[in-house]
Amino acid sequence: MQSQLDAQAVSILNNNDRGGFTIPTARLYPYQWNWDSAFIALGLATIDRQRAWRELTMLIDGQTADGMIPSILFRNDNPDYFPGPSVWQTTASSLPTTGISQPPVLASMILTLVRRDQAEGLGQARLLFDAVLNWHRWYHRCRTPVGCPVVCTVHPWETGRDNSPDWALGLSSMQIDPDIGPYQRKDIEHADPSQRPSQEEYDKYLTIVKFGRDHNWDQATLTNQGPFLMADPGIHFILLRADRDLLELATLLHRFDAVPEIETWIETAIAGTDYLWNDRLKAFCARDVRSGQFANGFSNASPLCFYAGVGSEGQQRQTLDHLKRIRGLTKFGHPSWDPQAPRFDSQRYWCGPIWPQMNYLIATGLNEQGETELAARLRLDLRQLIELSGFYECFDPLTGSGCIGRDFSWTAALWLAWASPAAGAFEAVSGEDEGFAS
Ligand code: GLC
C-alpha cells in the first residue's frame, strides 16, 4: 500500500520533471544535473521504467565530443541560476553545459536497473554502453595528471561534494583572478547564506571556470595547468566501482572488446589507492596533488572504499573504526564531515550535513562487505530523517532538521528506491530494521 510519503515522493519527481529529465529542485537547481539524474532514475524505476531510462538517455545528450558527461546540462538560460551558460561558454557538446564533470555513478545505476529487470534493461543498457565507456575513457585520459597514480579533479564542483572542507587545501593555494568581473550570486537568494559557501570560495570557484573558458575548455590543460588539482577519494572510489560495474555490463552485453581496457583501469586504480591513504589520520582523504598534502578530516567519501571493494584489511578496519566513532557523536549518520575535525558545521553545505545519496553509496558498500548492521542503520536513519523533516537536499546530523533545498528529487528517489519501508524489493542493502528504532 502506498504511504503518504510514497505519494509525496512521487509528486516531487513529477513536479520536478521538465519533459523527460528531472531537475534537483526548483529555483536553486533548475537544470539537469549529472549524478542527480542517475540516482533519480533509481526512484523513477519504481514508478515508470521507461521514464527512468529516458532520464539517463537525456543525460547522455550532453556528452561532449571527447567523451565527458558534464555536471550540468543547460537546456535554457534560467535567470534563477548562476553561473549559467553565458559564464561557462562551452562548445564541445550539442547543448550548452558546464566544462567539468561529476562523480561517475551512471554505470553503477545502469547495472542496478538491469539487475532489476534484465529482459528490458539489457536492451536499454546496450544503447547507453558506448557513451558510458567513452565517459570513463575521458576520466582516465583527461583527469589523470602527468605523473599522478590516480584520477583527480580540477574543481570542487566536479566532486559533487562542492563545499567540503576537503577542498580548503587546493583553494588556499590559489589566487583569485582579478578579472573574474562583478557577478551576482543566486544561490544565496534561494537558500540561507549561512549554509552556503563564502564569498572568497565563490570567487575561487569562478577563477577556475575563467581558466577553463580562457583555454577553450581544453581538458588536459585544465588538469595539468589549472589553478586547482586535488585527488578525491569520492571520485576515485566511485569510478573504481563504476569500472567494475561497467565490466559486468560488458560481459552481460557480450561487449568483450571493451573488457581488457576496463580491466586495466581497475588494476591501475587498485594499485593507486594507497596514494589517498592518510596515515596520520588512518583514513582515505583528499590530497592536494601539487603539494602532496592531505586534507585533515574523515568525510563521507572516506568510507566509499567499501563501495569500491578496495583497501587492505587494516585500512578497512580503521575506516570502520572511524565510522563507528562518528556514529556515536551524532544522532543520525553519516555526516559529510567529522564532527571532531576543524570546520565541522552541522548545517553548512558539505561541512556536516547528511546527504542521502552518499549514505546510499556508503551503505551499499558496507552491506556488500558484510557490515550489514551498519548498512541497515544508515538506511533506517534516512527513513527517519525524511519522516521527521521531509524531502530536503540534506539533513543536520545532530537534530535531523532539513537543510538547503526542499522537495529534492534525489531524496524523493532514494526514498522510493531504498529508504521507504516499501522499498524492500529494490533495496541495495538487506539488513534487518528491527533493533535500530530510536
Ligand atoms: C549541489 C551539490 C551537488 C549536486 C547539485 C544538484 O551543487 O553539491 O552534488 O549535484 O547540488 O543537486
Side-chain angles (χ1 to χ4, degrees):
M1 206 187 70
Q2 205 189 37
S3 75
Q4 211 191 331
L5 285 170
D6 291 341
Q8 212 183 321
V10 171
S11 92
I12 289 172
L13 292 178
N14 285 337
N15 291 340
N16 288 341
D17 185 314
R18 291 293 179 275
F21 71 91
T22 312
I23 59 167
T25 182
R27 288 179 294 282
L28 183 61
Y29 305 129
Y31 297 109
Q32 184 174 18
W33 256 259
N34 183 327
W35 71 330
D36 293 64
S37 275
F39 292 110
I40 288 165
L42 292 188
L44 289 173
T46 69
I47 315 165
D48 175 351
R49 279 187 222 137
Q50 287 303 323
R51 178 61 186 79
W53 288 107
R54 184 154 166 73
E55 182 81 26
L56 303 181
T57 308
M58 288 195 76
L59 175 62
I60 282 172
D61 285 348
Q63 185 159 37
T64 63
D66 61 356
M68 180 177 82
I69 302 185
S71 59
I72 311 174
L73 277 52
F74 301 119
R75 287 192 170 80
N76 53 26
D77 194 353
N78 191 316
D80 276 333
Y81 187 80
F82 178 86
S86 60
V87 178
W88 290 89
Q89 295 175 20
T90 56
T91 53
S93 159
S94 57
L95 293 173
T97 67
T98 58
I100 56 172
S101 197
Q102 252 196 334
V105 292
L106 180 58
S108 303
M109 299 311 138
I110 291 175
L111 182 61
T112 305
L113 295 182
V114 167
R115 285 202 183 120
R116 174 117 203 253
D117 175 12
Q118 276 227 10
E120 184 194 340
L122 278 179
Q124 297 280 358
R126 182 167 288 113
L127 300 175
L128 301 175
F129 183 83
D130 280 308
V132 183
L133 177 67
N134 281 334
W135 185 26
H136 286 212
R137 281 185 180 135
W138 175 87
Y139 251 116
H140 290 286
R141 187 181 70 244
C142 293
R143 283 289 182 262
T144 309
V146 176
C148 184
V150 294
V151 163
C152 293
T153 187
V154 299
H155 197 304
W157 292 345
E158 190 163 73
T159 70
R161 300 184 298 119
D162 302 24
N163 193 45
S164 169
D166 270 345
W167 318 129
L169 269 179
L171 292 173
S172 69
S173 64
M174 272 182 67
Q175 303 298 321
I176 294 170
D177 186 324
D179 296 329
I180 48 174
Y183 64 92
Q184 198 179 354
R185 286 174 67 171
K186 296 285 179 180
D187 60 321
I188 45 183
E189 291 175 16
H190 309 305
D192 179 349
S194 71
Q195 298 179 357
R196 299 288 305 177
S198 72
Q199 194 54 43
E200 184 189 333
E201 284 163 338
Y202 230 82
D203 284 351
K204 290 189 172 172
Y205 299 153
L206 290 177
T207 295
I208 307 172
V209 174
K210 180 172 183 303
F211 180 95
R213 202 173 57 216
D214 289 349
H215 291 82
N216 292 320
W217 295 107
D218 181 280
Q219 296 291 337
T221 305
L222 182 57
T223 301
N224 289 296
Q225 293 161 41
F228 180 97
L229 184 62
M230 290 192 74
D232 169 23
I235 287 186
H236 176 74
F237 290 138
I238 286 170
L239 182 58
L240 172 51
R241 170 57 181 254
D243 280 336
R244 292 189 195 277
D245 290 342
L246 192 64
L247 185 64
E248 188 168 335
L249 283 171
T251 309
L252 287 170
L253 294 169
H254 296 192
R255 285 294 306 269
F256 301 112
D257 56 304
V259 166
E261 185 180 10
I262 303 172
E263 282 176 344
T264 306
W265 295 336
I266 294 171
E267 283 159 25
T268 308
I270 293 171
T273 294
D274 272 348
Y275 180 79
L276 290 158
W277 182 252
N278 178 349
D279 206 41
R280 195 184 61 77
L281 211 73
K282 307 287 181 216
F284 290 109
C285 292
R287 190 167 184 187
D288 186 88
V289 176
R290 293 182 182 124
S291 70
Q293 268 184 290
F294 280 104
N296 60 353
F298 188 90
S299 75
N300 54 354
S302 302
L304 292 180
C305 57
F306 298 107
Y307 180 68
V310 74
S312 68
E313 212 184 308
Q315 288 168 334
Q316 293 204 353
R317 189 174 22 80
Q318 286 164 323
T319 302
L320 270 182
D321 289 346
H322 281 293
L323 277 173
K324 289 179 183 160
R325 170 181 61 78
I326 291 172
R327 197 61 194 78
L329 300 171
T330 59
K331 188 162 176 208
F332 301 94
H334 173 78
S336 43
W337 192 243
D338 184 344
Q340 292 179 322
R343 293 195 60 184
F344 173 79
D345 182 334
S346 67
Q347 299 206 340
R348 200 178 182 90
Y349 203 46
W350 291 102
C351 298
I354 292 169
W355 254 266
Q357 87 290 7
M358 293 299 288
N359 274 15
Y360 170 76
L361 300 180
I362 297 168
T364 300
L366 285 170
N367 191 58
E368 289 168 355
Q369 303 297 322
E371 295 295 333
T372 52
E373 203 175 298
L374 275 176
R377 188 156 174 176
L378 284 178
R379 175 175 173 233
L380 193 65
D381 277 1
L382 182 59
R383 181 184 305 169
Q384 290 179 343
L385 287 165
I386 293 170
E387 285 168 351
L388 185 72
S389 301
F391 293 93
Y392 271 87
E393 176 174 2
C394 54
F395 301 89
D396 182 328
L398 304 179
T399 64
S401 65
C403 305
I404 319 184
R406 293 159 178 261
D407 294 338
F408 218 82
S409 294
W410 66 24
T411 312
L414 287 170
W415 169 267
L416 294 171
W418 183 54
S420 111
F426 193 48
E427 60 194 358
V429 292
S430 59
E432 289 298 314
D433 287 346
E434 284 74 27
F436 297 118
S438 60

